[in-house]
Amino acid sequence: MPRIITIAGNWKMNKTASESVDLAKPIIQALNNQNEVAVIVCPPFTALQAVSGLIENSSVRLGAQNVSDKASGAYTGEISAAMLRDLHVTHVILGHSERRAYYSETDAFINKKVLAALENNLKPILCVGETLDEREGNKTFDVIHTQIKGGLAGVTIAQAENLIIAYEPVWAIGTGKTATPALAQEVHAFIRKELSALLGESVAQKTRILYGGSMKPDNAAALLAEQDIDGGLIGGAALAAKDFLALVESGKAAAGKKA
Ligand code: PGA
């Protein structure tokens, strides 16, 4: 069974609720009920409810950009997995490099959120990736190894069915610098090997590994053609319906070739 190509939009801290509806509507209308590609949109928390209403009868899935590691209680400002599930959220981006860098999230803390998500039927999209310094210092594989092992500690083989990984080289995020397909493929293959060592070959073969970092309509086809690149986590290009839909089309074309 080939892995289903997955195109996920990370809207980051952009779009009010009404702007989110304006962005989501043409995407949902254009995609109708296609199921060749798995499509996920991840608006900010404040827009989840509004977008949730729109996707009710569509195949587009709703993702959040963070979740609390705690179930409920006195944690001011936090949002639990159960609260997200209540809004029909199915996925959650965790370990994004912006949260690691600006909010000091460690692998241990990200791991708690991964486990909280999985225990509450939310599918984590766990992001990993090296900085430019780490790449230039030949530390890429060490960094990815530590992030995968730390982020997935305690995840069972059964839970891993619901896991998605995103390789996002920090130096390529929002910079216009994309990893070359060959360079990205090398790291994706390494991640799959790490998954195999940690959770077994069957999990490794089934798990989708998305690429993220300046993926755009004009570079997507070459990236998605690589054997271990199973989709994209899209930032900037997810903020325009036309670009995002073009990426979904690239996903469909890649799916046809990989089938
Ligand atoms: P970008 O962001 O596509 O704007 O580089 C990707 C991400 O941060 O998920």
Side-chain angles (χ1 to χ4, degrees):
M1 271 281 284
R3 295 174 291 271
I4 185 159
I5 300 275
T6 301
I7 301 291
N10 173 11
W11 297 6
K12 308 195 180 184
M13 196 171 72
N14 295 294
K15 307 287 177 191
T16 62
S18 61
E19 288 166 351
S20 295
V21 166
D22 289 346
L23 175 56
K25 256 191 192 158
I27 294 172
I28 290 156
Q29 275 163 7
L31 295 177
N32 203 1
N33 271 323
Q34 71 79 35
N35 51 20
E36 292 157 84
V37 173
V39 178
I40 307 164
V41 291
C42 307
F45 285 130
T46 47
L48 287 172
Q49 183 153 29
V51 177
S52 175
L54 294 176
I55 64 166
E56 219 167 323
N57 295 312
S58 112
S59 59
V60 175
R61 294 282 171 265
L62 189 60
Q65 299 172 23
N66 195 9
V67 70
S68 177
D69 62 316
K70 303 289 196 297
S72 68
Y75 301 102
T76 302
E78 290 292 295
I79 291 177
S80 72
M83 291 169 181
L84 295 175
R85 291 288 312 158
D86 188 48
L87 295 178
H88 308 292
V89 171
T90 50
H91 293 75
V92 61
I93 298 169
L94 293 174
H96 193 281
S97 62
E98 287 151 15
R99 297 215 58 85
R100 292 177 189 263
Y102 307 141
Y103 302 98
S104 309
E105 291 198 5
T106 62
D107 287 320
F109 185 48
I110 293 160
N111 177 237
K112 285 190 188 175
K113 296 185 188 211
V114 167
L115 294 173
L118 288 169
E119 279 154 19
N120 288 281
N121 285 325
L122 272 184
K123 299 173 167 61
I125 303 174
L126 173 66
C127 303
V128 298
E130 80 288 1
T131 63
L132 187 59
D133 273 0
E134 288 162 347
R135 172 154 288 271
E136 286 175 347
N138 289 322
K139 294 198 189 108
T140 298
F141 295 117
D142 286 347
V143 168
I144 304 287
H145 168 79
T146 303
Q147 290 176 340
I148 291 281
K149 201 169 165 218
L152 297 181
V155 171
T156 66
I157 291 173
Q159 286 174 326
E161 277 214 13
N162 291 318
L163 185 69
I164 298 176
I165 305 286
Y167 169 54
E168 299 208 313
V170 180
W171 47 270
I173 295 178
T175 58
K177 279 187 208 152
T178 322
T180 62
L183 184 152
Q185 164 59 27
E186 186 185 27
V187 181
H188 280 236
F190 176 77
I191 292 172
R192 209 174 295 290
K193 250 178 45 202
E194 291 288 296
L195 289 174
S196 177
L198 210 57
L199 290 154
E201 185 57 17
S202 166
V203 167
Q205 286 306 324
K206 280 190 219 150
T207 304
R208 284 164 282 169
I209 306 175
L210 316 184
Y211 170 80
S214 299
M215 196 192 250
K216 304 218 157 41
D218 64 0
N219 60 28
L223 287 158
L224 295 173
E226 294 291 342
Q227 191 187 339
D228 290 294
I229 301 185
D230 306 316
L233 179 56
I234 324 293
L239 294 175
K242 187 168 155 276
D243 288 346
F244 189 69
L245 287 168
L247 286 160
V248 174
E249 287 307 313
S250 298
K252 284 187 195 170
K257 285 183 194 147
K258 283 179 172 177

